[in-house]
Amino acid sequence: MDAAENAPAALERPGGGLLRWLTFSRIIDQAALGLASLLLARVLGPDGFAPVAVLFIVNSLAVQVSDFGVGFAVYRLAPSGRLARRSLERLRLVDGVLALVAVAGGLALRSSTGAVIASAGLIWLLSAEAYVRKAAALKLGAVREVVAAEIGGAGLFFAACVAVAITAGAPGWVGMGFVGKHVVECLLVRTWPAMFTAGGERARSRDEWLGQVMTYLVANVDYLLIGWLLGAEVLSVYVIAFRFASAFPAFLANPITQTAFVDFAAASPSQMQTRYDSLLRRIWLLGGTGTVVLLLVAPLLPRVLGSAWEETAPVLAILSIAVPWRLLLGTTVAQAITAGRARVVVGWETIRLVGTAVLVVAGARFGLRTTAACVSLGTVVILTGEHAMSCRLRGVSMPRWLPAVTAAVASILAAVAVLTAT
């Protein structure tokens, strides 16, 4: 009997202990990232924090897309399925070449920018390896092993950032903290090799990967446009506010997505509605709690960071309204992919990318608060539409209250956008 067949019973029932354990490790991981960014922002100020913000964005990109969809290929396998070892070897070759080019180019520059580029190459390579190993370990039932790896990596990263803050080290050293984080995760996840065999399936995951790319672009197009239209200092304010608004989604989105893939891939048609309803209830309970907490935290943020960060409070309050809808994304994607329709996710996310970009450009004409309202408005409306379409693909019924709540919240955000623009 192999590891997958001997997986804990918690993985065999809807949700089981999987979401609980993954949420626990995710909270630790994202708390380390959030507290580190807060500490560095206070020490470096809005201008000095800009290159550090770039490193956080690069790490977010690498975690989502550097595996070229191999992680998703692992998640969608049947419990007894295996992937071809050649798929993993090909991934390592491609990422290794990209990392080598980035490191060589970064070292040639011999500057802080070069250090960021070199760090980005290593982050890209190592985050892919860590992500694939964790995905394989989860499918093989080694949940607690993944949890330990994520907590260990988070601890090392936070320690590195504290050292940078105390010693007033160069921001480029934060990149080495990210590198160390992924190295620790790779080393601590051991139950993964059995997922890859010589005779396993080829990882045909182009559409899943393209969906990941589009999702990342949507999540970061606001950074790019705000930095271009409003300047680096305003971008630093937005990054801090957005990171806090992303606290609950960051804690919960990944565990929810992983749980959705495991549950939906194993569910029979008669089980899907029950599993969907159960997960949706938890999403809205957790998302609503997140919005309330963030609204209470928003006025305190400038007191912690200093007067230079005063604008983070209203921006955080506006962005926090969309938290429950952002938690819907993982379930939406999981429903489409487990229904065999990964390609439609690319189309949906392309529409969301264009819509978000248009809203950011429109809002930027009137300042950061209006821009934040436009970003939240797009998130609420477009993600509800995507979720409705994914429910149809999977043959489940979306609750009637969801469109009604979306319409009410969208009206409030539109009013906020108009008021802050005048």
Side-chain angles (χ1 to χ4, degrees):
M1 180 178 293
D2 63 26
E5 294 169 338
N6 198 35
L11 297 181
E12 297 173 1
R13 62 181 183 270
L18 182 61
L19 181 58
R20 186 186 314 115
W21 278 107
L22 293 176
T23 299
F24 174 70
S25 66
R26 189 66 172 175
I27 288 173
I28 301 298
D29 180 78
Q30 292 301 305
L33 292 174
L35 290 173
S37 63
L38 184 66
L39 175 63
L40 293 169
R42 180 174 179 84
V43 171
L44 300 173
D47 187 54
F49 185 74
V52 175
V54 171
L55 283 170
F56 276 92
I57 294 170
V58 166
N59 183 71
S60 176
L61 168 65
V63 168
Q64 291 192 54
V65 305
S66 63
D67 71 309
F68 290 101
V70 174
F72 266 133
V74 171
Y75 281 128
R76 75 182 179 199
L77 285 172
S80 60
R82 294 294 181 269
L83 281 188
R85 192 175 294 120
R86 289 184 61 186
S87 295
L88 179 60
E89 293 169 351
R90 185 167 54 250
L91 168 66
R92 287 170 169 171
L93 176 62
V94 172
D95 280 345
V97 171
L98 292 173
L100 182 62
V101 171
V103 171
L107 293 177
L109 291 177
R110 296 185 178 183
S111 64
S112 59
T113 300
V116 170
I117 294 173
S119 298
L122 294 174
I123 291 168
W124 183 273
L125 172 66
L126 293 166
S127 65
E129 184 72 19
Y131 185 81
V132 171
R133 290 189 182 198
K134 289 189 291 183
L138 286 175
K139 289 290 287 189
L140 293 170
V143 180
R144 297 190 185 188
E145 192 172 288
V146 173
V147 169
E150 291 191 341
I151 292 174
L156 186 145
F157 173 75
F158 185 72
C161 291
V162 170
V164 171
I166 292 175
T167 62
W173 284 105
V174 177
M176 291 299 98
F178 278 118
V179 170
K181 178 182 188 298
H182 297 306
V183 168
V184 168
E185 291 182 352
C186 289
L187 293 176
L188 294 183
V189 176
R190 299 178 302 278
T191 308
W192 65 271
M195 184 56 64
F196 297 91
T197 63
E201 298 178 26
R202 183 180 174 185
R204 301 179 184 277
S205 47
R206 182 191 62 181
D207 291 335
E208 288 88 340
W209 181 73
L210 287 175
Q212 286 177 284
V213 171
M214 294 308 301
T215 297
Y216 176 81
L217 291 176
V218 173
N220 291 274
V221 67
D222 50 351
Y223 290 155
L224 175 65
L225 292 174
I226 288 171
W228 176 40
L229 297 171
L230 299 176
E233 187 170 339
V234 174
L235 173 61
S236 292
V237 171
Y238 183 79
V239 167
I240 290 297
F242 194 88
R243 284 201 64 80
F244 270 84
S246 302
F248 273 78
F251 292 155
L252 300 169
N254 199 47
I256 286 172
T257 302
Q258 292 167 323
T259 301
F261 269 103
V262 172
D263 279 357
F264 295 165
S268 65
S270 62
Q271 294 173 323
M272 265 302 300
Q273 187 68 52
T274 299
R275 298 195 178 192
Y276 166 78
D277 291 341
S278 174
L279 192 56
L280 190 68
R281 282 194 298 270
R282 282 178 282 174
I283 286 173
W284 281 92
L285 175 62
L286 295 168
T289 301
T291 294
V292 172
V293 170
L294 289 171
L295 288 172
L296 295 174
V297 167
L300 305 177
L301 191 55
R303 297 184 183 182
V304 175
L305 294 175
S307 59
W309 298 92
E310 197 70 35
E311 189 66 8
T312 56
V315 174
L316 172 57
I318 294 168
L319 293 173
S320 68
I321 297 172
V323 166
W325 283 266
R326 292 183 61 201
L327 289 178
L328 274 181
L329 178 60
T331 302
T332 299
V333 172
Q335 287 190 137
I337 290 179
T338 56
R341 301 293 299 277
R343 186 168 297 180
V344 301
V345 177
V346 179
W348 295 345
E349 290 296 87
T350 300
I351 293 171
R352 189 158 72 99
L353 173 64
V354 174
T356 301
V358 170
L359 287 168
V360 170
V361 171
R365 295 179 57 195
F366 303 99
L368 187 55
R369 297 186 190 188
T370 306
T371 305
C374 289
V375 170
S376 288
L377 177 62
T379 299
V380 167
V381 173
I382 300 174
L383 285 183
T384 299
E386 287 189 20
H387 189 71
M389 289 185 283
S390 77
C391 286
R392 292 175 186 171
L393 289 178
R394 208 62 171 97
V396 298
S397 299
M398 187 176 73
R400 294 180 180 179
W401 55 261
L402 182 53
V405 172
T406 297
V409 172
S411 299
I412 294 171
L413 289 168
V416 172
V418 171
L419 292 173
T420 54
T422 56

